Amino acid sequence: MLQRILICLGAAALSACSTVAPIDHNNDALRLECHWDLQYPAVAPADASVEVLRAVAARRLAALQLNAVWTLEQEGVSGEAFTDSPEDRARLQRLLSVVLPGLERYPSAFFANVRLKNIVLVKELAVGGQRRLAMPMAESDGVAYADNNAGTLCSAGMEMRVHHEFYHFIDHREFDDYYHLDPSWLALNPDGLQYGKGGATFYGKNLQDLGHVRDGLVSAYSSYGQEEDKAETFGWMMTPDYAARLDLYVMTDPHLAAKVKYMREQLRKYSQPN
């Protein structure tokens, strides 16, 4: 990247850098960290209608004491309901094949303890005009997950996002704020680690979320803010394909190992029956 910038500056007078690659809004920021051959089983027959898929989701979420919600109404946020078209059937099947097993990794007591009630399932989710695949909705006791018709989306990466955004919800429950200072977490950072200006500054640039870019951080996206660092660490820990690599990282990184220990304690704490 630095070399590219220097070349562009040096050739500015000749307009050598006038061509800029367009932003691919369906770009999967995790594409370099995903195992693309890892497939999640379908939740219903391939020809299942949207009505059948909704029933499957409702039943499996109810077993976790969660509600399936199919519309999204929130200021500054847009999301569309699935229709019973062949395209939407495939899209909903794809979304449910990842979201449902991801949530089923938790005991139902976990959701009750953090007061999560609603799982919103939509397509074409955008927050403030930025396309998102998931978002926490602590104010309405929910988390939203979406299929944005990204045909190149890696399934394991989508599951990591399931847990990542859920941790933002948990963080809000603990601190009543998505953006807060957590001294106990900051104390786990190596000397000199400074966070960026928040996760929103990552979007819309075709950036890649690479793993373990420096000591104390599970990924590049972790460096964008304390809240992202916590959510990324939890997301990698809870997603089996990512957890295997995380286990290797912590063997040589005591700071990251301490953060994983913190998150395992969070998992244990909220998994206890009332």
Side-chain angles (χ1 to χ4, degrees):
M1 177 61 75
L2 178 59
Q3 183 181 16
R4 169 67 175 166
I5 293 173
L6 292 174
I7 291 173
C8 288
L9 290 174
L14 300 177
S15 301
C17 298
S18 60
T19 301
V20 178
I23 292 174
D24 177 6
H25 293 286
N26 283 331
N27 164 56
D28 185 356
L30 291 169
R31 67 177 181 265
L32 298 183
E33 285 294 345
C34 257
H35 292 157
W36 292 84
D37 56 347
L38 178 61
Q39 299 298 314
Y40 286 58
V43 301
D47 61 350
S49 67
V50 165
E51 181 180 4
V52 168
L53 290 167
R54 286 180 174 178
V56 169
R59 183 181 71 253
R60 289 175 63 168
L61 291 174
L64 300 172
Q65 300 178 32
L66 296 171
N67 302 314
V69 180
W70 303 101
T71 59
L72 177 57
E73 295 181 5
Q74 182 172 314
E75 184 177 357
V77 179
S78 60
E80 301 175 14
F82 290 96
T83 65
D84 196 28
S85 66
E87 179 186 12
D88 275 13
R89 292 172 197 166
R91 294 177 67 178
L92 182 54
Q93 176 93 259
R94 178 171 60 193
L95 180 64
L96 295 180
S97 72
V98 174
V99 173
L100 294 179
L103 294 174
E104 287 167 346
R105 301 195 193 283
Y106 304 86
S108 59
F110 196 106
F111 303 117
N113 288 335
V114 299
R115 307 188 309 281
L116 177 66
K117 298 177 181 178
N118 304 310
I119 300 299
V120 181
L121 299 156
V122 294
K123 63 179 182 177
E124 306 304 337
L125 176 65
V127 181
Q130 290 183 336
R131 290 167 62 84
R132 305 286 178 89
L133 291 164
M135 63 170 284
M137 304 173 65
E139 300 82 354
S140 56
D141 302 329
V143 182
Y145 298 110
D147 184 285
N148 282 358
N149 203 23
T152 57
L153 180 68
C154 175
S155 296
M158 182 61 194
E159 185 185 345
M160 200 280 284
R161 291 172 172 100
V162 169
H163 306 296
H164 174 115
E165 296 300 330
F166 181 32
Y167 198 81
H168 283 313
F169 177 97
I170 297 168
D171 227 10
H172 192 283
R173 286 297 195 232
E174 291 196 329
F175 295 91
D176 199 28
D177 184 12
Y178 291 118
Y179 307 98
H180 61 279
L181 292 179
D182 181 354
S184 61
W185 182 264
L186 295 174
L188 304 177
N189 282 333
D191 292 341
L193 193 153
Q194 294 185 339
Y195 291 120
K197 297 182 179 180
T201 61
F202 180 88
Y203 288 90
K205 301 172 185 175
N206 283 345
L207 297 176
Q208 287 297 295
D209 186 12
L210 303 176
H212 204 211
V213 294
R214 61 164 294 178
D215 284 352
L217 297 177
V218 69
S219 70
Y221 192 49
S222 293
S223 69
Y224 278 71
Q226 175 202 270
E227 68 284 355
E228 303 301 349
D229 190 14
K230 295 172 83 173
E232 281 283 280
T233 304
F234 187 77
W236 279 64
M237 183 186 79
M238 290 300 300
T239 305
D241 184 55
Y242 284 78
R245 280 168 281 170
L246 178 59
D247 288 342
L248 296 177
Y249 298 160
V250 301
M251 292 175 66
T252 58
D253 186 342
H255 297 284
L256 185 56
K259 291 181 176 181
V260 172
K261 181 180 179 181
Y262 176 107
M263 285 304 172
R264 286 179 176 155
E265 175 57 26
Q266 290 287 79
L267 183 64
R268 186 204 64 78
K269 177 175 69 176
Y270 287 117
S271 294
Q272 301 303 311
N274 291 324

